[in-house]
Amino acid sequence: MIKDAVRKLRFYYLQKVKWKKYTIGENFYAGMRVHLWAKNSLVIGKNFYIGRDSQIETDCSIGDNVIFGNKVAIVGKYDHHYQQIGVPIRMASRIRDDAYNWKGLTSKTIIEDDVWIGYGAIIMSGVILKKGSIIAAGAVVTKDTEPYSIFGGNPAKKICSRFDTDEDLKKHITLENDFLNQNRSYTGVQGIPVQK
């Protein structure tokens, strides 16, 4: 009981105090040492799970029912003005600076609904992870993914489709809305058993 109260208090603090400038949907879960930062906008849908030591450091829009494993990073391509003539990169202007006016200012990462990003994956700014995508552990994603596909490697490439057959994919898409409507009150981090 005390553990639940402490947990609720922690999530209240994270959403309403620490990250109050961002839009975070209901049933948000963040593991330990998670870091969130966006220059302009960070919007997170409902039922978002972000594992420990993960970080978002770019403008980002995240859909509903998205999972980040541990140590996932969403990072910018142009965090430092590396073409600033005569200035070492360490001392060049950074995207976090108010006066920064180089590349990446309009770059936004979009993660659509029902995406799972595996342990240690890195997603570069400006890509779109399409609905139902899975990103394998350790992948580095530099380009948009295809819906309901599994991507892995560095740079990440399509490994296979998420479902074995087109028929399974069509069935999934048909049944998903009913499932979500039946489980609107979901508030946990656990999976819901399959009903046969």
Side-chain angles (χ1 to χ4, degrees):
M1 187 171 177
I2 292 175
K3 187 177 176 183
D4 285 345
V6 170
R7 183 177 166 198
K8 285 180 182 175
L9 186 62
R10 176 176 177 262
F11 289 133
Y12 180 85
Y13 164 75
L14 292 174
Q15 287 183 258
K16 304 298 182 187
V17 178
K18 186 174 182 181
W19 297 322
K20 67 181 180 184
K21 70 178 184 178
Y22 307 128
T23 302
I24 299 175
E26 62 189 44
N27 202 24
F28 170 81
Y29 178 91
M32 300 302 290
R33 299 176 301 278
V34 165
H35 175 75
L36 303 181
W37 179 86
K39 186 166 184 81
N40 300 306
S41 172
L42 175 58
V43 177
I44 296 171
K46 63 184 179 183
N47 299 328
F48 178 58
Y49 179 105
I50 182 168
R52 66 176 164 76
D53 299 307
S54 293
Q55 56 188 331
I56 298 172
E57 291 195 330
T58 187
D59 289 349
C60 192
S61 176
I62 299 172
D64 295 336
N65 303 308
V66 171
I67 308 169
F68 284 15
N70 297 332
K71 298 188 176 184
V72 168
I74 314 295
V75 297
K77 291 178 184 170
Y78 303 106
D79 287 356
H80 301 270
H81 188 340
Y82 55 80
Q83 292 181 342
Q84 197 169 341
I85 304 297
V87 180
I89 294 171
R90 176 65 184 93
M91 300 168 75
S93 64
R94 309 172 312 152
I95 200 162
R96 289 174 182 256
D97 298 337
D98 290 339
Y100 180 87
N101 61 0
W102 194 54
K103 297 178 180 179
L105 288 172
T106 59
S107 182
K108 184 175 189 177
T109 302
I110 297 173
I111 300 170
E112 297 182 347
D113 295 344
D114 188 24
V115 169
W116 175 20
I117 303 175
Y119 182 100
I122 297 171
I123 316 299
M124 300 306 294
S125 63
V127 303
I128 301 174
L129 303 185
K130 298 286 180 70
K131 182 173 181 174
S133 295
I134 295 174
I135 308 302
V140 178
V141 181
T142 59
K143 295 181 179 175
D144 299 351
T145 65
E146 297 174 23
Y148 299 103
S149 296
I150 300 174
F151 279 69
N154 179 10
K157 295 181 178 169
K158 183 177 177 178
I159 297 171
C160 61
S161 296
R162 175 172 156 184
F163 294 97
D164 290 337
T165 66
D166 289 343
E167 185 178 89
D168 284 350
L169 173 59
K170 286 177 186 171
K171 190 173 180 183
H172 172 77
I173 292 170
T174 301
L175 296 175
E176 185 181 31
N177 280 340
D178 287 342
F179 179 86
L180 292 173
N181 282 331
Q182 291 168 7
N183 294 283
R184 277 180 288 186
S185 59
Y186 175 75
T187 59
V189 294
Q190 74 284 358
I192 297 173
V194 176
Q195 295 182 5
K196 296 182 180 178

